[in-house]
PDB file of all heavy atoms in Angstrom:
ATOM      1  N   THR B 375     -18.535  -1.212 -25.309  1.00 93.00           N
ATOM      2  CA  THR B 375     -17.996  -0.990 -26.686  1.00 93.00           C
ATOM      3  C   THR B 375     -18.060   0.583 -26.904  1.00 93.00           C
ATOM      4  O   THR B 375     -16.996   1.132 -27.409  1.00 93.00           O
ATOM      5  CB  THR B 375     -18.928  -1.671 -27.648  1.00 93.00           C
ATOM      6  OG1 THR B 375     -19.133  -3.000 -27.276  1.00 93.00           O
ATOM      7  CG2 THR B 375     -18.231  -1.659 -29.014  1.00 93.00           C
ATOM      8  N   ILE B 376     -19.135   1.196 -26.723  1.00 93.00           N
ATOM      9  CA  ILE B 376     -19.213   2.627 -27.056  1.00 93.00           C
ATOM     10  C   ILE B 376     -18.110   3.453 -26.297  1.00 93.00           C
ATOM     11  O   ILE B 376     -17.453   4.235 -26.851  1.00 93.00           O
ATOM     12  CB  ILE B 376     -20.697   3.213 -26.604  1.00 93.00           C
ATOM     13  CG1 ILE B 376     -21.678   2.621 -27.645  1.00 93.00           C
ATOM     14  CG2 ILE B 376     -20.706   4.772 -26.767  1.00 93.00           C
ATOM     15  CD1 ILE B 376     -23.081   2.796 -27.185  1.00 93.00           C
ATOM     16  N   LEU B 377     -17.984   3.089 -24.983  1.00 92.00           N
ATOM     17  CA  LEU B 377     -16.971   3.875 -24.225  1.00 92.00           C
ATOM     18  C   LEU B 377     -15.585   3.581 -24.875  1.00 92.00           C
ATOM     19  O   LEU B 377     -14.742   4.511 -25.025  1.00 92.00           O
ATOM     20  CB  LEU B 377     -16.927   3.318 -22.798  1.00 92.00           C
ATOM     21  CG  LEU B 377     -18.021   3.812 -21.877  1.00 92.00           C
ATOM     22  CD1 LEU B 377     -18.020   3.071 -20.581  1.00 92.00           C
ATOM     23  CD2 LEU B 377     -17.847   5.281 -21.601  1.00 92.00           C
ATOM     24  N   GLY B 378     -15.327   2.307 -25.242  1.00 91.00           N
ATOM     25  CA  GLY B 378     -14.036   2.042 -25.879  1.00 91.00           C
ATOM     26  C   GLY B 378     -13.826   2.892 -27.105  1.00 91.00           C
ATOM     27  O   GLY B 378     -12.751   3.541 -27.289  1.00 91.00           O
ATOM     28  N   VAL B 379     -14.877   2.941 -27.980  1.00 91.00           N
ATOM     29  CA  VAL B 379     -14.744   3.685 -29.198  1.00 91.00           C
ATOM     30  C   VAL B 379     -14.522   5.211 -28.813  1.00 91.00           C
ATOM     31  O   VAL B 379     -13.698   5.839 -29.543  1.00 91.00           O
ATOM     32  CB  VAL B 379     -15.985   3.495 -30.081  1.00 91.00           C
ATOM     33  CG1 VAL B 379     -15.961   4.409 -31.346  1.00 91.00           C
ATOM     34  CG2 VAL B 379     -16.070   2.074 -30.510  1.00 91.00           C
ATOM     35  N   LEU B 380     -15.256   5.684 -27.901  1.00 90.00           N
ATOM     36  CA  LEU B 380     -15.132   7.190 -27.538  1.00 90.00           C
ATOM     37  C   LEU B 380     -13.639   7.451 -26.994  1.00 90.00           C
ATOM     38  O   LEU B 380     -13.006   8.439 -27.354  1.00 90.00           O
ATOM     39  CB  LEU B 380     -16.010   7.426 -26.336  1.00 90.00           C
ATOM     40  CG  LEU B 380     -17.434   7.862 -26.650  1.00 90.00           C
ATOM     41  CD1 LEU B 380     -18.287   8.124 -25.419  1.00 90.00           C
ATOM     42  CD2 LEU B 380     -17.407   9.204 -27.516  1.00 90.00           C
ATOM     43  N   VAL B 381     -13.164   6.518 -26.190  1.00 89.00           N
ATOM     44  CA  VAL B 381     -11.754   6.791 -25.746  1.00 89.00           C
ATOM     45  C   VAL B 381     -10.833   6.709 -26.843  1.00 89.00           C
ATOM     46  O   VAL B 381      -9.895   7.577 -26.944  1.00 89.00           O
ATOM     47  CB  VAL B 381     -11.310   5.674 -24.711  1.00 89.00           C
ATOM     48  CG1 VAL B 381     -10.015   6.111 -24.112  1.00 89.00           C
ATOM     49  CG2 VAL B 381     -12.303   5.589 -23.583  1.00 89.00           C
ATOM     50  N   PHE B 382     -11.009   5.854 -27.819  1.00 89.00           N
ATOM     51  CA  PHE B 382     -10.185   5.751 -28.988  1.00 89.00           C
ATOM     52  C   PHE B 382     -10.178   7.057 -29.762  1.00 89.00           C
ATOM     53  O   PHE B 382      -9.107   7.649 -30.073  1.00 89.00           O
ATOM     54  CB  PHE B 382     -10.737   4.625 -29.864  1.00 89.00           C
ATOM     55  CG  PHE B 382      -9.900   4.549 -31.192  1.00 89.00           C
ATOM     56  CD1 PHE B 382      -8.635   3.936 -31.295  1.00 89.00           C
ATOM     57  CD2 PHE B 382     -10.474   4.969 -32.412  1.00 89.00           C
ATOM     58  CE1 PHE B 382      -7.876   3.880 -32.412  1.00 89.00           C
ATOM     59  CE2 PHE B 382      -9.764   4.926 -33.573  1.00 89.00           C
ATOM     60  CZ  PHE B 382      -8.495   4.410 -33.608  1.00 89.00           C
ATOM     61  N   LEU B 383     -11.352   7.621 -29.886  1.00 89.00           N
ATOM     62  CA  LEU B 383     -11.456   8.868 -30.675  1.00 89.00           C
ATOM     63  C   LEU B 383     -10.825  10.013 -29.878  1.00 89.00           C
ATOM     64  O   LEU B 383     -10.110  10.841 -30.437  1.00 89.00           O
ATOM     65  CB  LEU B 383     -12.947   9.216 -30.880  1.00 89.00           C
ATOM     66  CG  LEU B 383     -13.718   8.305 -31.888  1.00 89.00           C
ATOM     67  CD1 LEU B 383     -15.167   8.677 -31.951  1.00 89.00           C
ATOM     68  CD2 LEU B 383     -12.995   8.287 -33.205  1.00 89.00           C
ATOM     69  N   MET B 384     -10.987  10.031 -28.555  1.00 86.00           N
ATOM     70  CA  MET B 384     -10.336  11.036 -27.722  1.00 86.00           C
ATOM     71  C   MET B 384      -8.912  10.928 -27.807  1.00 86.00           C
ATOM     72  O   MET B 384      -8.162  11.915 -27.876  1.00 86.00           O
ATOM     73  CB  MET B 384     -10.702  10.787 -26.248  1.00 86.00           C
ATOM     74  CG  MET B 384     -12.143  11.018 -25.894  1.00 86.00           C
ATOM     75  SD  MET B 384     -12.368  12.862 -25.713  1.00 86.00           S
ATOM     76  CE  MET B 384     -14.173  12.903 -25.338  1.00 86.00           C
ATOM     77  N   ALA B 385      -8.349   9.678 -27.834  1.00 86.00           N
ATOM     78  CA  ALA B 385      -6.877   9.502 -27.802  1.00 86.00           C
ATOM     79  C   ALA B 385      -6.311   9.869 -29.156  1.00 86.00           C
ATOM     80  O   ALA B 385      -5.112  10.121 -29.244  1.00 86.00           O
ATOM     81  CB  ALA B 385      -6.545   8.117 -27.408  1.00 86.00           C
ATOM     82  N   LEU B 386      -7.090   9.894 -30.211  1.00 87.00           N
ATOM     83  CA  LEU B 386      -6.517  10.182 -31.569  1.00 87.00           C
ATOM     84  C   LEU B 386      -5.928  11.630 -31.465  1.00 87.00           C
ATOM     85  O   LEU B 386      -4.806  11.831 -32.015  1.00 87.00           O
ATOM     86  CB  LEU B 386      -7.652  10.198 -32.599  1.00 87.00           C
ATOM     87  CG  LEU B 386      -7.751   8.812 -33.301  1.00 87.00           C
ATOM     88  CD1 LEU B 386      -8.884   8.875 -34.257  1.00 87.00           C
ATOM     89  CD2 LEU B 386      -6.514   8.377 -33.893  1.00 87.00           C
TER      90      LEU B 386
END
Side-chain angles (χ1 to χ4, degrees):
Chain B
T375 313
I376 292 169
L377 283 170
V379 174
L380 272 180
V381 185
F382 175 76
L383 293 177
M384 292 278 180
L386 269 181

